[in-house]
């Protein structure tokens, strides 16, 4: 059974059909890339999946459960974590605190337990802290854990946002243009990190315009145009598809 299964997901804004009957599956432990020209509906599709937008039509199944129309916080609790196309780190708190916030997203430790079950609460907090430190170590940000997020480079802030999403231990991680604003060294590091996550069992959907990155990390690629799914295939199939190349003409060439 696929971990994510969407059936004819549609999102309309008045007369504009931003997402048009998109059906796709994501299997456990694979990286699915989504590409397409600007305005193709990639972010709107992800927003519909993660409860930022209520779908106008279609169904979304996550781990076999119908989550269509669930609000964003409930979808996060089910185990879907995401990053945003526009950075959303909390600038004026530390790197560590940014990631701890992500860890709490799925921790079941009600506030009153701090008083009623202090030992259990402390243990949960200790575990969350250890996990966050391990994550920061993994991406080379541990030494900067006390820095304010705003003092990190742009690429580091993007990496921090991914750590925050990962801290909730998601079954599915969705990245919306993680390479935007990164230099090529940061991009290479990110590609290695994303592949390592997959090798450790993480399931990932990634939207990205950078073709080198998407071709390097994806097991399967979905091409969207004008709100709809246009093609689906392996990176090699997509790279060699003349119709896909035409879609990108005038924007950028599939390298
Ligand atoms: N909240 C909204 N209200 C109205 N129209 C919207 C809204 N969000 C997106 N759209 C429209 O939906 C279409 C798809 O936009 P979307 O941002 O999903 O594309 P995208 O593939 O993510 O593009 P990009 O690669 O530039 O990020 C566009 O025409 C956009 O203007
Ligand atoms: Mg987008």
């Amino acid at each position: 059974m696929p971990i994510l299964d969407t059936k004819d997901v549609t999102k309309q804004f008045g007369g504009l059909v931003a997402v048009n009957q998109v059906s796709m599956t994501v299997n456990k432990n694979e990286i699915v890339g989504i590409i397409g020209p600007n305005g193709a509906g990639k972010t709107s599709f992800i927003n519909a999946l993660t409860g930022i937008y209520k779908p106008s039509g279609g169904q979304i199944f996550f781990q076999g459960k119908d989550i269509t129309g669930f609000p964003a916080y409930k979808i996060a609790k089910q185990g879907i974590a995401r990053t945003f196309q526009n950075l959303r780190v909390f600038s004026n708190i530390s790197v560590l605190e940014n990631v701890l916030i992500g860890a709490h997203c799925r921790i079941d430790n009600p506030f009153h337990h701090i008083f009623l079950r202090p030992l259990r609460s402390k243990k949960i907090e200790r575990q969350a802290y250890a996990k966050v430190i391990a994550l920061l170590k993994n991406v080379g940000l541990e030494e900067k854990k006390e820095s304010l997020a705003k003092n990190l480079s742009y690429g580091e802030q993007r990496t921090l946002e991914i750590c925050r999403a990962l801290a909730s231990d998601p079954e599915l991680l969705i990245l919306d243009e993680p390479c935007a604003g990164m230099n090529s060294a940061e991009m290479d590091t990110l590609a290695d990190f994303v592949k390592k996550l997959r090798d450790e069992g993480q399931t990932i959907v990634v939207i990205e315009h950078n073709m080198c990155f998407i071709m390097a990390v994806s097991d399967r690629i979905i091409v969207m145009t004008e709100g709809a799914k246009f093609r689906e295939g392996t990176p090699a199939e997509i790279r060699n598809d003349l119709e896909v190349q035409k879609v990108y003409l005038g924007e950028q060439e599939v390298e």
Side-chain angles (χ1 to χ4, degrees):
M1 183 180 69
I3 187 166
L4 179 75
D5 190 1
T6 81
K7 296 194 190 307
D8 296 329
V9 169
T10 297
K11 179 65 195 171
Q12 282 177 255
F13 297 104
L16 175 83
V17 186
V19 182
N20 193 359
Q21 298 190 308
V22 176
S23 300
M24 73 175 281
T25 57
V26 179
N27 298 313
K28 202 165 166 40
N29 200 210
E30 73 171 340
I31 301 179
V32 176
I34 302 181
I35 63 172
N38 292 116
K42 306 178 294 295
T43 298
S44 299
F45 176 55
I46 294 309
N47 284 345
L49 294 187
T50 53
I52 306 289
Y53 296 156
K54 211 179 166 103
S56 317
Q59 276 180 302
I60 302 157
F61 295 91
F62 182 60
Q63 301 192 111
K65 182 173 177 174
D66 189 344
I67 60 163
T68 320
F70 276 25
Y73 79 92
K74 245 186 167 175
I75 291 183
K77 269 225 178 295
Q78 299 293 315
I80 303 182
R82 65 171 292 182
T83 63
F84 289 85
Q85 189 165 347
N86 302 315
L87 261 181
R88 290 195 183 183
V89 298
F90 301 107
S91 310
N92 288 313
I93 61 172
S94 72
V95 165
L96 181 72
E97 288 162 333
N98 261 281
V99 186
L100 273 171
I101 288 170
H104 280 90
C105 176
R106 287 179 83 196
I107 289 178
D108 202 12
N109 189 22
F111 185 62
H112 61 274
H113 278 197
I114 295 170
F115 305 104
L116 296 178
R117 307 190 64 184
L119 286 179
R120 182 179 176 273
S121 280
K122 268 198 181 138
K123 188 176 168 207
I124 289 172
E125 294 304 323
R126 251 198 332 269
Q127 284 169 343
Y129 183 86
K131 198 169 74 186
V132 166
I133 293 292
L135 262 173
L136 289 173
K137 240 185 205 159
N138 216 338
V139 296
L141 281 179
E142 199 219 351
E143 282 179 11
K144 297 191 176 178
K145 64 177 186 290
E146 303 299 342
S147 309
L148 293 183
K150 67 179 175 194
N151 293 333
L152 298 185
S153 74
Y154 193 77
E156 286 172 332
Q157 290 190 35
R158 286 224 160 257
T159 309
L160 174 62
E161 210 186 10
I162 296 173
C163 283
R164 189 174 60 204
L166 282 171
S168 67
D169 246 340
E171 268 76 39
L172 174 63
L173 173 69
I174 304 179
L175 306 174
D176 193 351
E177 296 202 29
C179 297
M182 281 192 172
N183 62 38
S184 64
E186 287 171 332
M187 243 185 274
D188 288 347
T189 307
L190 182 64
D192 289 343
F193 180 53
V194 166
K195 283 189 277 188
K196 187 169 159 219
L197 287 173
R198 190 260 325 271
D199 294 344
E200 290 167 359
Q202 183 69 55
T203 310
I204 301 170
V205 170
V206 55
I207 297 175
E208 187 46 64
H209 279 291
N210 186 287
M211 287 299 157
C212 292
F213 181 90
I214 207 85
M215 293 290 164
V217 303
S218 304
D219 298 305
R220 196 151 52 85
I221 294 176
I222 288 168
V223 186
M224 285 182 70
T225 58
E226 295 173 3
K229 187 162 103 177
F230 177 72
R231 281 287 191 283
E232 180 170 350
T234 62
E237 285 164 351
I238 297 299
R239 190 188 292 119
N240 297 323
D241 189 314
L242 292 178
E243 294 295 316
V244 172
Q245 290 178 14
K246 262 191 218 159
V247 164
Y248 272 92
L249 273 186
E251 179 155 328
Q252 70 180 113
E253 302 224 351
V254 179
E255 290 162 16

